[in-house]
Amino acid sequence: MRVKSESRRLAIVDAAKQVFSETGFESASMNEIARRVGFSKATVYNYFSSKEEIFLSVMETFARRQLAEAFNTLEAESDLLPSLKSFSESYLQSITEPEMLALEKIVAHEAHRSKIGKFFYEHGPRRGLAKLENFLEQHMKKGNIYSVEPRVCAQHFLSLIVAEYYTPLFLNAIERPDLDELNASAARAVDVFLRAYCP
């Protein structure tokens, strides 16, 4: 019964993700989410008490799925350069996915009037940042990176990764680059980071 319940919850989350991505937060309705997943509205409310709650679950689940591969490359004992390269490529590909951008736009729109923004940050970007901080700190101890504040170092690296494409993509100013272009951008970010932070 527990497995079946979790399976239903995830089905609702997946259907809700589609609805939020297509219509935005304000226009999305529990009725439409229930219709998409093929459950009654009462069943959906058995799992989620409000549209806000289901949206937070969508963001947490989707961010975890999208970014897990990137952050899982950051093992403290792994070599610095290959890890940074793999991470930057995977991270840039994930955050420029159209669905990810659509959901982040909703978060940005709702953040000033609810706790959605804070929740998303604490359960998504902040957790990833902590893992990157730990990875970089371990390499500082090995002498591979200058010994500086790990949080700042991690934020600088993430900023370099997103520098070329994220903002224009977020604003729909450009088409999403192909994989080769994204990987080339990621490589440039790693190169600049290493020039700044490696002895």
Side-chain angles (χ1 to χ4, degrees):
M1 178 64 74
R2 183 177 180 181
V3 173
K4 182 178 179 181
S5 295
E6 180 62 11
S7 176
R8 281 192 166 198
R9 192 189 75 82
L10 290 176
I12 294 169
V13 168
D14 284 340
K17 175 171 68 68
Q18 295 175 3
V19 174
F20 287 126
S21 296
E22 293 170 12
T23 69
F25 182 82
E26 292 179 4
S27 298
S29 70
M30 296 294 266
N31 281 332
E32 179 60 17
I33 292 168
R35 188 189 71 78
R36 293 280 185 101
V37 76
F39 298 159
S40 68
K41 191 162 79 167
T43 298
V44 174
Y45 272 110
N46 282 336
Y47 287 86
F48 300 97
S49 63
S50 66
K51 187 168 71 171
E52 288 77 12
E53 183 180 342
I54 194 171
F55 181 73
L56 293 176
S57 186
V58 166
M59 289 304 306
E60 182 178 15
T61 301
F62 190 66
R64 186 169 61 244
R65 287 177 186 170
Q66 286 292 102
L67 298 175
E69 182 179 345
F71 286 100
N72 285 341
T73 66
L74 299 173
E75 300 299 332
E77 65 275 8
S78 58
D79 292 338
L80 180 64
L81 180 57
S83 295
L84 293 181
K85 183 177 183 295
S86 295
F87 171 77
S88 61
E89 289 177 355
S90 184
Y91 183 78
L92 185 58
Q93 290 167 27
S94 294
I95 64 167
T96 58
E97 285 284 349
E99 282 187 317
M100 189 70 173
L101 287 166
L103 291 172
E104 288 198 348
K105 288 175 185 178
I106 296 172
V107 172
H109 184 262
E110 295 295 319
H112 73 284
R113 52 187 172 191
S114 72
K115 295 181 179 179
I116 283 176
K118 182 178 180 181
F119 181 93
F120 171 66
Y121 178 75
E122 294 295 337
H123 290 79
R126 185 65 192 91
R127 289 180 179 178
L129 184 63
K131 191 160 188 177
L132 179 57
E133 287 173 26
N134 180 65
F135 172 80
L136 295 172
E137 186 173 18
Q138 297 309 309
H139 279 279
M140 289 175 194
K141 292 176 180 178
K142 296 176 183 178
N144 296 329
I145 300 175
Y146 290 126
S147 184
V148 297
E149 171 58 47
R151 177 186 58 82
V152 174
C153 184
Q155 288 176 325
H156 285 174
F157 185 45
L158 290 179
S159 295
L160 286 169
I161 296 171
V162 303
E164 293 184 40
Y165 293 125
Y166 182 77
T167 297
L169 281 170
F170 188 85
L171 298 174
N172 293 325
I174 61 171
E175 295 294 322
R176 187 175 187 238
D178 63 27
L179 184 60
D180 288 340
E181 290 177 288
L182 289 174
N183 287 345
S185 177
R188 288 189 289 270
V190 172
D191 181 60
V192 173
F193 177 79
L194 294 177
R195 289 173 184 272
Y197 276 99
C198 287

